[in-house]
Amino acid sequence: MTAILNTFNPEQLKAALLNGEELKLAASLLYQSYHDDPLFLTIFRGDTPDYEQRLRSAIREELNTFWQAQQPLVGLFHGDQLLGVACVVGPDSGIGSNRLWHWRLKMLLTAGFVSTRQMLEKEQRIHAAMPYERYHMLAFIAVSPKYQHLGLGHYLIHAVDSIVDEDHSSNGIGVFVTLAKYQPFFADDKYQKVTELAFGSVSGSLMFRPRQSQAEPA
């Protein structure tokens, strides 16, 4: 950790939207971060030999869908190095709980019928539990394992906040948190717990951050 801190220059940090050439880097980073996520282990059957292949395929298809739908894919860079990524789905994306048919077909071919059905069910239940009709959703957020616990997640999520707060058609942004240890991170950014949801043996907290103009003054 000391060596990382000595070579890490916070002044070179910047948040920017990813370009098409950076999607593979983002997919690799997300795969590392979500490999042991309880929900994905359940949906993509982590106890089977081809779990990793299905997870890689699902992440790749998600990123491609976000990119084609022109949704914000935010990268956190230190110089030219990608340290973190956040994927945001807007209220008019067309890729919420009612997925585009071509996404469903690709997911069926790569992740399988059961996994695709469970992914869609997850999104439908989350949407039904949301207190608003128009909102953003934080689909993924991750920091490279090498650079975790340095406060970079807060830098990244503040960039996401800026996108959401500038959209006056949105009521705010939601996130589904499957690991309790991450709830304080989102609570620090004014996310509030909406409800608990269970998917099979996995439960998590649906949290929501109102758009800043609707939130209470700091």
Side-chain angles (χ1 to χ4, degrees), residues 43-138:
I43 290 178
F44 298 108
R45 304 192 297 281
D47 58 343
T48 59
D50 54 351
Y51 164 70
E52 294 184 349
Q53 178 182 348
R54 281 197 296 271
L55 180 62
R56 288 184 188 276
S57 298
I59 290 174
R60 184 174 61 248
E61 292 305 331
E62 287 283 81
L63 286 177
N64 287 337
T65 300
F66 297 155
W67 173 258
Q68 292 170 10
Q70 299 181 330
Q71 297 305 293
L73 301 176
V74 183
L76 180 63
F77 294 87
H78 182 250
D80 295 328
Q81 184 179 7
L82 181 65
L83 304 184
V85 61
C87 305
V88 183
V89 179
D92 295 315
S93 66
I95 56 172
S97 58
N98 297 316
R99 286 287 186 166
L100 300 175
W101 67 269
H102 65 267
W103 179 91
R104 296 190 185 201
L105 177 60
K106 289 181 179 179
M107 281 290 288
L108 284 169
L109 294 175
T110 56
F113 172 78
V114 174
S115 297
T116 302
R117 184 185 64 187
Q118 290 179 327
M119 285 283 286
L120 293 171
E121 177 188 357
K122 173 184 75 73
E123 293 184 356
Q124 290 166 353
R125 289 185 58 194
I126 287 174
H127 178 70
M130 274 293 183
Y132 300 101
E133 285 295 321
R134 296 187 60 78
Y135 58 89
H136 286 73
M137 194 72 191
L138 183 59

Side-chain angles (χ1 to χ4, degrees), residues 103-191:
W103 179 91
R104 296 190 185 201
L105 177 60
K106 289 181 179 179
M107 281 290 288
L108 284 169
L109 294 175
T110 56
F113 172 78
V114 174
S115 297
T116 302
R117 184 185 64 187
Q118 290 179 327
M119 285 283 286
L120 293 171
E121 177 188 357
K122 173 184 75 73
E123 293 184 356
Q124 290 166 353
R125 289 185 58 194
I126 287 174
H127 178 70
M130 274 293 183
Y132 300 101
E133 285 295 321
R134 296 187 60 78
Y135 58 89
H136 286 73
M137 194 72 191
L138 183 59
F140 294 109
I141 183 169
V143 172
S144 170
K146 183 179 178 181
Y147 293 99
Q148 291 181 359
H149 311 297
L150 297 176
L152 300 184
H154 291 284
Y155 195 107
L156 184 59
I157 205 168
H158 289 162
V160 171
D161 292 343
S162 298
I163 293 173
V164 176
D165 292 343
E166 291 175 0
D167 187 345
H168 295 277
S169 71
S170 176
N171 291 109
I173 182 168
V175 64
F176 183 62
V177 185
T178 55
L179 294 175
K181 66 180 181 178
Y182 293 129
Q183 291 183 24
F185 167 77
F186 290 105
D188 286 344
D189 195 49
K190 301 181 180 179
Y191 280 77

